[in-house]
Each structure stands twice: as C-alpha cells, then as structure tokens.
Amino acid sequence: MTETNPENETKVDEYQGSLANSKEDERRIEVWNELKANLKEIKKPKNVLLLGEYGTGKSSFINTVITALTGKYRYYADIGSGNLHSTTRLHKISCKEYWNPENEEDRALNLPNFIDIIGLDVQLSNPYERDTVNSQIMNLILNGKLSEDTDLLDLGMKLKEGKKIVEKSEDESLVIDIIVIVVSLEDDKIPHTLLDEIYAESKKRSRQFPVFAVLTKSDKCNDQEKLEKKKKYIAEEISIDVRKILICKNYHAGQNPDSRDVEILEFLTKLCDPCLKAVKLHKVEVEEEQATLPDTVAPTSTPIPPTNGCSLM
C-alpha cells in the first residue's frame, strides 16, 4: 500500500493554488480544467506504456509529466546516463504514488499509471520475422501477462536463447490502455523496423491500442524544418495523426516548471480522452475445409482380368 507523503500533498496543493492565482497562467488553467473534465469521465486510471530504444528519454518523460502536474521534480522513474540500461524491470508508477493533493475532489482524479520498461534493442528487431524478441516482450506486457518488477533483461536473454516462456494469466491491473512511443531528436536516425514492430503489436495481434508519440531532446535539434519533417515521417510510419505527437524537452532535477507545462498538459489531456480505449479483437472463425474427391476417382483395387476370353457378365 502506498503511503501518503504530507510534504508532497502540500507541494501539489501550493502548485495548483499558484496556477489559480496567476493571471499569466490563464491558458494553463484552461488546459488543467480540460484535463480534469476528461479524468472525471474515466472510471479508473489508464495504464500508459512507454516504448522506445534505450536512451531516448522514456523515464525522463514520465518524471517530466509528473513535474508538470505537481510542480516538483522527483525520480519516480529511475534515469541513467551512457549506453547502459537504467530501467531493467517492468516498473508501474501508480498515480497514487505521485498524486496526493489535500483537495478531496482533485485527489479523486484518475490520472494515468505509467508503465516504464527496458529500452528495446533495435538489433533484436527483424523485418522478416513475426515473433522477434522485441515483439514477444511487447506482446506479453501489452496483455498484462508479466508481473510487476519482472526482470526484463533476464526475459530478453531467455527469449534470445529460444526458450519458451510460461505465460501467466492476464492481470487486468497491468493490461495496457495507451501506448506512447518515445523517439529521440538527438540524431537523425529513425528505428524503422522497431516502429513497424510496434505498429504490428498495437494493431494486429489480440488487441488494438491507441498510440501516441513523443519526440524528446528537442534542445538537441535546432533545425525546425528537419524537426517537423521527422515528426511527419514518424506519424506516417506508425499511422497516427501528427497532432498526437508531442515535441518535448524533458525536465531535469533542480528545474522549476515553466511554459512547457501547457503543451505537456495538453498532450496528457489527449491521452486521457475517455473515448480512447484499447479494444480486444475478436477473430473471425472459419469452418475447416472438408476433403473432396476429384472428378475422376482412381480404382482402389486391381481389377480381375477376364478368364479364357469369357465375359464376366
């Protein structure tokens, strides 16, 4: 059971109160009210899964969204540096962990749960295979068939070795509702094969999921034309409306919330649209084809030849 942090409650309430009293934040207040309206229509918090290569800023984006909501940066999702994985497990960050305002009405809002996982290795993607290591990992997570804190590094190694995983029954509390694909703007490369795999897992397997995308590290890309071109290309690659893509510069420890909050909250409002739902697909059943005899049936036994020229009538 998650313990309530009184200090965190005070910070959240102070932050929301400052928004209400600042004329400069009229748009932020408007967006916050739009978000609240959506959240009031949702019966339970949505599980939002962050997918992408390692080092793209998935964990940092989770912390950034929570900072925009609460006004305080904290390491709810662990972040690292370099080429090593900082997240190696299935980590569910429940809304109850970060959302504890004193205001009873606000506390009841069903803000999202964030599912942080290991960065996917593009070398484990293959356009000629259906069940790659990445696609198997995604399929298990999307359908709630892995437990919280599952060691995903270990799972990946076992799948690479060709071992068959014993699937657990579906856990409804971990079934994914929304997919957010995270791509870094730090370089020009686009993980085409990985994006194709994510699209296939999100649309063609057992469920269809609403998909959004975030382009992180926008401070690393000063060419606005190139940035917009990449945004449009990714939208086409995963077949989503370009308005479902957020260009974002993540917060870091020690930074105070600023004007980027409005766009982040607008994006969150879209994620929490009550009309968007994961849909379980019902496959059409077909009758098994029955074997039919050809027009000319070959004899099944050797005929008895006539004897002594006599008819066998």
Side-chain angles (χ1 to χ4, degrees):
M1 181 175 177
T2 305
E3 294 185 2
T4 299
N5 186 333
E7 180 183 354
N8 190 40
E9 288 183 358
T10 303
K11 290 291 183 181
V12 172
D13 289 314
E14 287 178 355
Y15 181 59
Q16 297 302 330
S18 69
L19 296 184
N21 295 323
S22 174
K23 293 181 180 179
E24 297 176 359
D25 290 317
E26 289 183 4
R27 177 56 187 156
R28 192 184 324 215
I29 296 169
E30 182 182 347
V31 174
W32 171 242
N33 289 331
E34 291 172 0
L35 174 58
K36 286 175 67 173
N38 278 354
L39 294 172
K40 288 176 180 178
E41 292 187 47
I42 298 174
K43 294 182 180 180
K44 63 178 182 178
K46 292 188 177 186
N47 289 334
V48 177
L49 172 66
L50 283 294
L51 289 176
E53 295 180 75
Y54 58 84
T56 56
K58 298 184 303 300
S59 300
S60 293
F61 179 68
I62 293 173
N63 294 334
T64 294
V65 174
I66 296 174
T67 300
L69 286 166
T70 65
K72 181 180 180 181
Y73 186 94
R74 294 183 68 184
Y75 290 102
Y76 288 99
D78 193 20
I79 61 173
S81 60
N83 296 322
L84 299 177
H85 294 284
S86 57
T87 302
T88 60
R89 60 189 171 107
L90 194 160
H91 182 198
K92 179 179 179 179
I93 301 156
S94 168
C95 63
K96 294 180 180 179
E97 292 182 43
Y98 66 83
W99 189 245
N100 295 303
E102 290 182 349
N103 182 288
E104 188 174 344
E105 181 183 353
D106 285 352
R107 193 188 314 134
L109 295 174
N110 286 316
L111 283 157
N113 303 318
F114 294 102
I115 311 297
D116 195 19
I117 68 166
I118 192 170
L120 299 173
D121 187 346
V122 293
Q123 295 182 5
L124 298 178
S125 297
N126 188 325
Y128 305 107
E129 292 182 16
R130 183 174 184 268
D131 292 316
T132 65
V133 171
N134 284 336
S135 65
Q136 290 182 72
I137 291 174
M138 285 188 284
N139 188 261
L140 290 168
I141 295 172
L142 288 169
N143 292 288
K145 293 189 175 182
L146 293 180
S147 303
E148 284 190 58
D149 298 324
T150 293
D151 186 336
L152 298 176
L153 268 180
D154 177 68
L155 172 62
M157 290 297 297
K158 287 181 168 62
L159 292 173
K160 283 171 66 175
E161 293 168 0
K163 294 182 179 178
K164 188 171 179 60
I165 304 300
V166 178
E167 293 187 13
K168 65 185 287 290
S169 57
E170 183 179 295
D171 183 344
E172 289 188 6
S173 70
L174 289 172
V175 172
I176 301 304
D177 298 296
I178 304 282
I179 295 173
V180 175
I181 302 171
V182 182
V183 179
S184 173
L185 290 167
E186 194 167 9
D187 52 49
D188 295 331
K189 68 176 182 177
I190 296 176
H192 301 282
T193 304
L194 178 59
L195 291 179
D196 289 344
E197 283 185 330
I198 294 174
Y199 173 80
E201 293 302 319
S202 67
K203 300 295 182 185
K204 298 180 180 180
R205 290 269 193 159
S206 58
R207 282 182 168 88
Q208 283 191 346
F209 300 88
V211 177
F212 291 78
V214 175
L215 306 186
T216 59
K217 305 182 182 180
S218 60
D219 54 318
K220 305 292 184 180
C221 181
N222 297 320
D223 188 332
Q224 187 66 27
E225 183 179 349
K226 183 183 291 186
L227 189 153
E228 291 297 330
K229 186 176 180 181
K230 188 168 186 177
K231 180 179 178 181
K232 182 179 178 182
Y233 186 87
I234 290 174
E236 293 174 350
E237 184 94 359
I238 56 179
S239 189
I240 66 172
D241 191 315
V242 71
R243 288 168 292 186
K244 295 172 74 175
I245 298 179
L246 170 68
I247 297 175
C248 179
K249 178 183 176 183
N250 286 331
Y251 283 120
H252 300 288
Q255 292 182 329
N256 295 319
D258 53 37
S259 59
R260 79 188 84 171
D261 278 7
V262 173
E263 291 183 346
I264 293 169
L265 294 177
E266 285 177 335
F267 184 73
L268 191 59
T269 301
K270 295 174 186 176
L271 286 183
C272 296
D273 189 327
C275 296
L276 294 177
K277 299 176 183 177
V279 178
K280 195 164 186 176
L281 297 175
H282 298 284
K283 303 294 185 180
V284 176
E285 295 183 4
V286 297
E287 294 182 358
E288 294 185 7
E289 295 184 5
Q290 296 181 351
T292 57
L293 294 175
D295 294 337
T296 303
V297 181
T300 57
S301 58
T302 304
I304 302 173
T307 305
N308 299 324
C310 299
S311 174
L312 296 180
M313 297 293 288

